Amino acid sequence: MTDDDTGTDSGTGSSGDTGSRDTGDGPETGPDTDAGVADRDGDTGTGHGDADRREMHMLHPLSAVIRTLMTGTAVGLGLAYLFLGGNFVDLLLIPILAVALAGTYVYQHMYVQRFRYGLVGDEVEITSGVLSRRERRIPLHRVQNIDIRRPFILSWFGINELHIETAGGGETEVSLRYVSYEDAEQFQERIRTEKNRAEQEDQDLSVDAADTGRDGPVVPERRDETPVRTTELSLGHLVVYSIFSLTRGRSTLVMGVGAGMLGMVLYAPAIFEIVPPFTVVTGLFFVALLWGQGAFQRFTQYHDTVLEEYDDRIRIEHGMFTRHERTLPREKIQSVTLIDDPVTRLLGLAGLRVNTAGYAPGEESKEYRALPLTERDVAVDTMNRIMPGEVTDWDSPPVRARRRYTVRFLIVAAGLLSVLAVVPRVADVPVYLHPALPPILLGVAMAAAHLRWKHLGYATTDESISARSGFWHREAVVVVYRRVQDVIQSETILQRRWNLATLTPDTAGSYGLTRSNPDLIDIDRETSEELRALVREKIRGEQKAMPEPVDDTRGKRGRG
Amino acid sequence: MGPYLYGMSDNMDDMEELDRTVITLWVLLGSISAVIATAVAGGAAFYLALPFVPIAGGAFVLLMLVNAAYQLRRYQIWRFSVDDDALYLKRGVITRRKSVVPFSRIQHVDTNRNPWERLFGLASVVVYTAGSRGSDAVIPGLRPERAEELQSSLRRQANRFRGADTV
């Protein structure tokens, strides 16, 4: 039942490497069966990379108990439901539950006893399974990041979860439940240094390592280094963020209900004669409750957020009950997004999202933020440090794009007016069309078009290309050229009429989760062609600087 | 920004066309939708007690003409070229799309032959990048030999950068 805990192969490409295979031999055959002690010092200065040097660890000794309780609770509840409903109650329930729990415990105990994880050569190896043995190997270069998750309550006893993420796919590749905090930290650190070392070796092997356009050589080992910079989320900003940045669904609901109420008061006050006032009050209360609950979620999720920047990575820690901790190697960051809305713009604040290839843990909503909200300057500075290429001036799309939006919004307004005009004829509902309504709608459409246009922007620097869009929820995405995977220019039939185009420098962001690409919307077609050529030229220059591959035995490494 | 344009083929004449056979395949596949739409139109005519034959027949003829024109245009617009730094694709009747896939970003290259393509002696090449829209780069309507050739040449090009960390 829990063999699935190690996740499924969802990675791109070399899934053959990680596929399960029956090995037959249990962990007993390994030389160091006891909670791996082979090499814990994390010092990678000597004798590394030997595939024969196995370093396998076991899960936390209490894992079986906790796992039993977790599944046992579900089993117990299920049985209770079945039997309470069938009037068997007490007598039968207790022994059955006991047997079920005992059985679960025996299984979990065996599972945990047989579970091993560790680093073998340059692969993360996980062996698991009670009935069918499973051995998985994930090449280090495929590992995107290792996250420690601290479940509420359990973390008080030093029990943590370790999650291994790989690029591609939408789910965690491997979840290790449970691991002591020291083990988790040590393993995370070990993977990180080994990865750096492997990449360093690759660089050393190549001829012109310094000119590859990558970040400079990474210093492999500094265990207790202090971060170059630490940014903490202030309580005030957290409160503002919690209150004003609801998830999209919630804010739509809150605003929809609000607008509906306003509309009813203005246009159909008679409706309150039909609908009893307490219904309205209940509705408002319900909306307030949803809002409050959303705000509370945000508040606890991002409470005490700390962003630490190191030379080679950034580390984010946040959460009130469950502490989330993420370490992102700098070279795995695909793009960075600066987020604001009318309220935060007015207050001079902004949030920051870091987009990586693969799935972001703790991403309940689609907005995982490195810095939920902070002073705009701080956010911009942080963004510039994480993704080089400081944008000073945003170019606007041509004014004819605004005309396009005006036309678009006027069509919407006309549609609305015709609905209001037709409704009283079809249904027997009196609708009072205020004579001021058409000019008001015209004004709103023009203002909306202007705002949409005004907040669109794009910029290029020597190192990066950026785009900005949105009024209610404005995102400015920056990506460095060497993180651009491909470039797509698209021109719809309407855009061609206006001689406009949309240019998308595509990055390896999370699939379908959040927008991590800077879309340069409705820019002049000629400009689009030029920028497309510019990006291509940048990548071309980078390719020229890339060394020819060295024919070493580890040629399989390369793509993450 | 003229200087950036060097080495890039954006001239339709310099770029490779698809195999002509693909027009027939596309027209055939498109006519399936035309038949379905005709059935819907005919059904509506029948239900509303309108003259069935002229409406269904007219819809069919019109849709087939539109389909043929559309597929022909689609073929005329479709171009690709393997340059010295990237694969470049140009296509789309309603929404025109131009994609640049630099060789250093190619993850792997597949050739595909679905039953329809086999029937017409065609193949397509699918180029994968790590990009969130990576599977966008599909070149249909190739002779199988050309597809193989394209696949191996793209692979060779991509291999030049296999040591590079691009994700």
Side-chain angles (χ1 to χ4, degrees):
Chain A
M1 61 175 83
T2 29
D3 276 280
D4 293 347
D5 272 359
T6 45
T8 47
D9 289 336
S10 56
T12 52
S14 55
S15 57
D17 290 338
T18 56
S20 57
R21 53 176 183 258
D22 270 327
T23 52
D25 56 343
E28 311 83 32
T29 55
D32 37 10
T33 325
D34 41 332
V37 278
D39 184 345
R40 277 247 178 123
D41 54 4
D43 185 276
T44 54
T46 52
H48 33 59
D50 309 318
D52 47 84
R53 201 196 52 182
R54 299 169 71 86
E55 181 206 329
M56 300 301 275
H57 307 275
M58 288 179 73
L59 296 176
H60 194 281
L62 285 174
S63 296
V65 179
I66 300 160
R67 293 171 70 106
T68 306
L69 287 176
M70 293 289 180
T71 45
T73 312
V75 171
L77 284 177
L79 285 175
Y81 176 79
L82 273 178
F83 284 88
L84 284 176
N87 279 333
F88 281 91
V89 210
D90 319 325
L91 287 174
L92 270 173
L93 184 62
I94 293 166
I96 288 177
L97 191 59
V99 169
L101 274 179
T104 313
Y105 178 74
V106 169
Y107 177 84
Q108 293 293 359
H109 181 75
M110 284 166 75
Y111 183 83
V112 168
Q113 282 303 310
R114 291 173 152 244
F115 195 99
R116 293 287 185 287
Y117 68 95
L119 203 62
V120 176
D122 53 5
E123 287 174 325
V124 175
E125 187 179 303
I126 291 116
T127 57
S128 65
V130 177
L131 298 175
S132 62
R133 301 286 302 160
R134 190 172 185 205
E135 182 182 317
R136 310 181 63 206
R137 286 165 181 243
I138 304 168
L140 268 183
H141 69 265
R142 281 197 64 219
V143 174
Q144 290 285 332
N145 48 287
I146 305 253
D147 301 298
I148 301 174
R149 212 172 294 175
R150 298 189 216 158
F152 187 40
I153 302 186
L154 288 180
S155 61
W156 299 348
F157 304 99
I159 295 166
N160 296 272
E161 294 173 20
L162 198 67
H163 298 258
I164 301 173
E165 313 285 347
T166 59
E171 50 193 288
T172 301
E173 194 82 9
V174 177
S175 303
L176 303 178
R177 281 174 300 168
Y178 295 87
V179 178
S180 76
Y181 190 63
E182 298 86 57
D183 280 0
E185 269 209 321
Q186 250 160 12
F187 194 62
Q188 189 187 37
E189 178 69 19
R190 185 109 181 78
I191 298 283
R192 201 177 62 73
T193 49
E194 278 299 314
K195 247 177 103 68
N196 278 345
R197 190 190 52 71
E199 271 154 29
Q200 183 77 32
E201 265 179 16
D202 267 5
Q203 277 193 342
D204 292 346
L205 281 172
S206 50
V207 194
D208 266 330
D211 295 332
T212 52
R214 286 186 248 174
D215 285 334
V218 183
V219 184
E221 180 55 20
R222 264 186 296 158
R223 166 76 72 90
D224 294 316
E225 66 186 318
T226 47
V228 180
R229 189 182 292 260
T230 305
T231 315
E232 283 174 34
L233 174 67
S234 81
L235 193 63
H237 291 157
L238 175 62
V239 169
V240 175
Y241 176 65
S242 307
I243 294 174
F244 290 105
S245 300
L246 297 177
T247 57
R248 203 155 292 178
R250 262 178 231 271
S251 55
T252 311
L253 193 73
V254 169
M255 285 173 77
V257 171
M261 292 281 176
L262 190 71
M264 280 196 270
V265 169
L266 286 179
Y267 281 101
I271 207 159
F272 291 104
E273 286 165 22
I274 312 164
V275 180
F278 75 84
T279 317
V280 178
V281 174
T282 318
L284 285 177
F285 179 73
F286 178 66
V287 167
L289 198 72
L290 263 182
W291 190 336
Q293 193 225 350
F296 179 75
Q297 261 181 20
R298 280 285 158 96
F299 187 85
T300 54
Q301 188 189 354
Y302 285 105
H303 187 262
D304 204 9
T305 301
V306 182
L307 170 68
E308 289 173 357
E309 295 164 53
Y310 296 85
D311 288 336
D312 59 338
R313 65 190 192 278
I314 64 169
R315 182 174 168 279
I316 307 155
E317 212 186 306
H318 64 95
M320 185 186 258
F321 300 127
T322 298
R323 275 310 263 175
H324 294 278
E325 184 185 320
R326 289 193 88 186
T327 301
L328 303 172
R330 276 181 190 266
E331 73 269 24
K332 291 298 170 208
I333 298 172
Q334 306 293 327
S335 59
V336 180
T337 310
L338 191 76
I339 309 159
D340 56 30
D341 54 60
V343 174
T344 53
R345 279 201 292 274
L346 198 70
L347 297 172
L349 307 173
L352 202 65
R353 190 175 70 222
V354 173
N355 310 307
T356 53
Y359 153 90
E363 198 163 21
E364 300 145 15
S365 67
K366 290 166 184 173
E367 297 217 342
Y368 183 85
R369 294 194 181 186
L371 275 176
L373 202 61
T374 182
E375 263 92 23
R376 201 178 172 78
D377 304 343
V378 177
V380 170
D381 287 348
T382 311
M383 172 155 112
N384 290 334
R385 281 195 304 270
I386 296 176
M387 195 65 21
E390 191 173 345
V391 176
T392 44
D393 279 314
W394 291 92
D395 286 324
S396 291
V399 181
R400 59 182 185 276
R402 183 171 61 189
R403 284 213 300 276
R404 209 187 142 200
Y405 306 141
T406 311
V407 171
R408 190 190 291 173
F409 292 138
L410 280 178
I411 291 171
V412 175
L416 190 67
L417 276 179
S418 43
V419 167
L420 285 178
V422 164
V423 161
R425 284 159 207 266
V426 180
D428 194 20
V429 182
V431 175
Y432 172 56
L433 266 181
H434 197 281
L437 194 59
I440 287 176
L441 280 179
L442 176 73
V444 169
M446 288 178 67
H450 178 71
L451 287 174
R452 164 145 180 84
W453 175 78
K454 196 186 137 201
H455 289 282
L456 282 178
Y458 62 94
T460 53
T461 68
D462 270 354
E463 293 155 298
S464 66
I465 182 161
S466 343
R468 186 183 73 181
S469 72
F471 169 73
W472 295 111
H473 177 90
R474 189 172 74 167
E475 295 201 349
V477 189
V478 183
V479 61
V480 290
Y481 297 116
R482 67 170 191 282
R483 290 286 163 245
V484 174
Q485 295 292 331
D486 44 282
V487 191
I488 304 159
Q489 174 180 324
S490 67
E491 301 152 26
T492 64
I493 201 157
L494 289 169
Q495 279 179 316
R496 283 211 292 282
R497 270 177 53 132
W498 294 94
N499 202 25
L500 298 170
T502 295
L503 189 71
T504 304
D506 193 17
T507 64
S510 313
Y511 289 73
L513 279 181
T514 33
R515 229 181 49 205
S516 56
N517 298 332
D519 290 327
L520 285 69
I521 301 166
D522 284 335
I523 59 175
D524 179 69
R525 184 147 59 158
E526 299 293 303
T527 314
S528 177
E529 297 281 356
E530 280 163 16
L531 293 178
R532 185 163 58 88
L534 169 73
V535 176
R536 186 169 175 179
E537 198 46 46
K538 291 281 183 187
I539 296 176
R540 187 197 182 85
E542 180 199 315
Q543 286 179 356
K544 278 189 183 146
M546 277 179 191
E548 294 289 317
V550 181
D551 261 325
D552 61 321
T553 45
R554 294 181 306 128
K556 65 190 153 115
R557 174 180 296 124
R559 299 279 141 78
Chain B
M1 289 225 205
Y4 290 120
L5 291 165
Y6 89 92
M8 294 181 47
S9 50
D10 206 0
N11 186 344
M12 292 290 260
D13 301 334
D14 298 344
M15 299 179 72
E16 194 171 333
E17 294 181 11
L18 305 182
D19 191 90
R20 269 176 191 282
T21 326
V22 80
I23 308 175
T24 327
L25 172 58
W26 284 347
V27 169
L28 183 73
L29 292 177
S31 58
I32 295 174
S33 330
V35 167
I36 294 170
T38 305
V40 171
F46 188 76
Y47 180 73
L48 296 171
L50 293 168
F52 175 77
V53 175
I55 287 185
F60 184 71
V61 170
L62 187 72
L63 286 169
M64 288 306 281
L65 283 176
V66 169
N67 176 40
Y70 176 85
Q71 305 299 357
L72 189 68
R73 187 87 193 107
R74 185 172 164 202
Y75 170 80
Q76 284 173 343
I77 289 171
W78 235 112
R79 289 285 191 289
F80 68 95
S81 70
V82 182
D83 299 342
D84 60 347
D85 64 325
L87 171 70
Y88 180 45
L89 313 174
K90 209 166 166 178
R91 68 251 187 254
V93 178
I94 310 281
T95 296
R96 191 142 315 157
R97 287 210 303 281
K98 298 172 184 172
S99 306
V100 179
V101 185
F103 296 141
S104 53
R105 303 301 196 260
I106 293 176
Q107 296 278 349
H108 59 108
V109 187
D110 289 355
T111 52
N112 279 349
R113 296 194 77 188
N114 66 29
W116 287 108
E117 287 172 325
R118 274 214 289 271
L119 199 67
F120 282 78
L122 292 171
S124 45
V125 167
V126 187
V127 181
Y128 292 89
T129 69
S132 47
R133 304 190 191 173
S135 58
D136 226 12
V138 181
I139 309 172
L142 298 167
R143 293 242 150 257
E145 317 83 71
R146 179 61 188 132
E148 296 277 327
E149 202 178 282
L150 201 61
Q151 182 190 32
S152 58
S153 100
L154 287 172
R155 267 192 189 147
R156 204 168 42 243
Q157 293 282 17
N159 252 338
R160 278 166 49 204
F161 306 104
R162 78 186 142 97
D165 177 31
T166 53
V167 177

